[in-house]
Amino acid sequence: DAKTTQPTSMDCAEGRAANLPCNHSTISGNEYVYWYRQIHSQGPQYIIHGLKNNETNEMASLIITEDRKSSTLILPHATLRDTAVYYCIVSSLDYKLSFGAGTTVTVRA
Amino acid sequence: DVKVTQSSRYLVKRTGEKVFLECVQDMDHENMFWYRQDPGLGLRLIYFSYDVKMKEKGDIPEGYSVSREKKERFSLILESASTNQTSMYLCATRQGGRTNEKLFFGSGTQLSVL
């Protein structure tokens, strides 16, 4: 599996968009980019995933660069409930997902 | 909604005890996983199972074993608990197959080994 690099922490103002970057320069052609988040005292929760096209669902948008070496998770209107650790994971279809240390996102009122 | 239930939220055991952590899912998922989570280290995969009676080692299997006798239940076993196994343990499930790798997690078991 390709490794990912994320900032350790970031702050965001409530109501504003939160843009979470992730570098995965060694990603291979069959590897997907996944995002999960973990709210305190809970198990991780799936957010979104993509291969090369940008993706959007009810929770977030995922923007993957054309060379696929980096991506950005966008929370369009951050709320206090979005405060969590966000994990960016790169994995091929039939391979286990390995979580790193993630980015601690704090949404402030 | 998928429900992944871990038998205990908090558990305190003594060094050398045999410890069983149970995970039950109600969605007929083929794949099940055990992770441990430690501050600063993120989640690390201990073992996983693609189907009943099948198991594979993850990244840190030493000191652990697993059992999957029925599809809905995946047990993590610490044969002789040690203090360095104090951690948060998370179970997860996945539908399986090539089209869906979305993991569903339980709420975790915080294990303290004294």
Side-chain angles (χ1 to χ4, degrees):
Chain A
D1 276 352
K3 287 195 177 296
T4 62
T5 304
Q6 298 178 252
T8 304
S9 64
M10 61 184 294
D11 285 0
C12 175
E14 188 178 23
R16 303 293 292 270
N19 297 289
L20 283 64
C22 180
N23 287 319
H24 30 79
S25 57
T26 61
I27 192 170
S28 61
N30 66 341
E31 288 182 315
Y32 281 66
V33 180
Y34 296 83
W35 284 84
Y36 282 76
R37 73 179 184 183
Q38 187 172 21
I39 296 169
H40 184 62
S41 297
Q42 297 180 23
Q45 174 191 25
Y46 167 85
I47 301 173
I48 200 167
H49 76 283
L51 183 63
K52 56 177 84 173
N53 297 322
N54 298 337
E55 302 287 345
T56 296
N57 63 20
E58 65 280 2
M59 290 182 70
S61 295
L62 174 61
I63 309 297
I64 303 174
T65 58
E66 199 166 331
D67 64 5
R68 303 213 318 125
K69 292 185 177 183
S70 66
S71 60
T72 301
L73 178 75
I74 301 172
L75 308 176
H77 303 287
T79 71
L80 298 179
R81 287 192 298 267
D82 292 322
T83 292
V85 178
Y86 286 77
Y87 298 97
C88 170
I89 304 157
V90 173
S91 179
S92 59
L93 274 177
D94 289 317
Y95 204 73
K96 61 186 185 291
L97 300 181
S98 295
F99 290 67
T103 297
T104 299
V105 173
T106 303
V107 180
R108 302 193 186 279
Chain B
D1 275 357
V2 175
K3 192 164 185 183
V4 183
T5 304
Q6 294 186 230
S7 53
S8 304
R9 186 75 177 98
Y10 298 96
L11 208 54
V12 180
K13 296 292 181 181
R14 296 209 175 273
T15 303
E17 278 193 77
K18 189 169 186 175
V19 181
F20 293 86
L21 302 183
E22 305 286 343
C23 176
V24 178
Q25 50 111 348
D26 66 354
M27 283 300 291
D28 202 36
H29 282 179
E30 293 173 356
N31 305 158
M32 296 187 76
F33 304 78
W34 275 107
Y35 293 85
R36 64 177 282 177
Q37 183 172 29
D38 301 286
L41 296 177
L43 273 73
R44 293 179 290 166
L45 182 63
I46 305 172
Y47 265 98
F48 61 107
S49 169
Y50 280 123
D51 207 339
V52 177
K53 297 193 186 293
M54 295 177 69
K55 60 185 179 185
E56 289 196 33
K57 293 180 180 179
D59 299 318
I60 51 163
E62 297 77 21
Y64 303 94
S65 62
V66 291
S67 172
R68 186 131 181 241
E69 296 296 317
K70 293 185 178 181
K71 194 171 188 178
E72 68 271 17
R73 186 181 297 270
F74 191 36
S75 303
L76 180 69
I77 303 157
L78 288 65
E79 293 289 341
S80 178
S82 63
T83 54
N84 63 12
Q85 292 178 310
T86 291
S87 186
M88 169 67 79
Y89 290 87
L90 288 156
C91 173
T93 75
R94 182 177 87 185
Q95 176 66 46
R98 302 183 72 90
T99 59
N100 184 354
E101 279 209 4
K102 186 176 183 177
L103 286 168
F104 295 87
F105 283 84
S107 297
T109 295
Q110 179 63 54
L111 173 67
S112 297
V113 182
L114 306 178

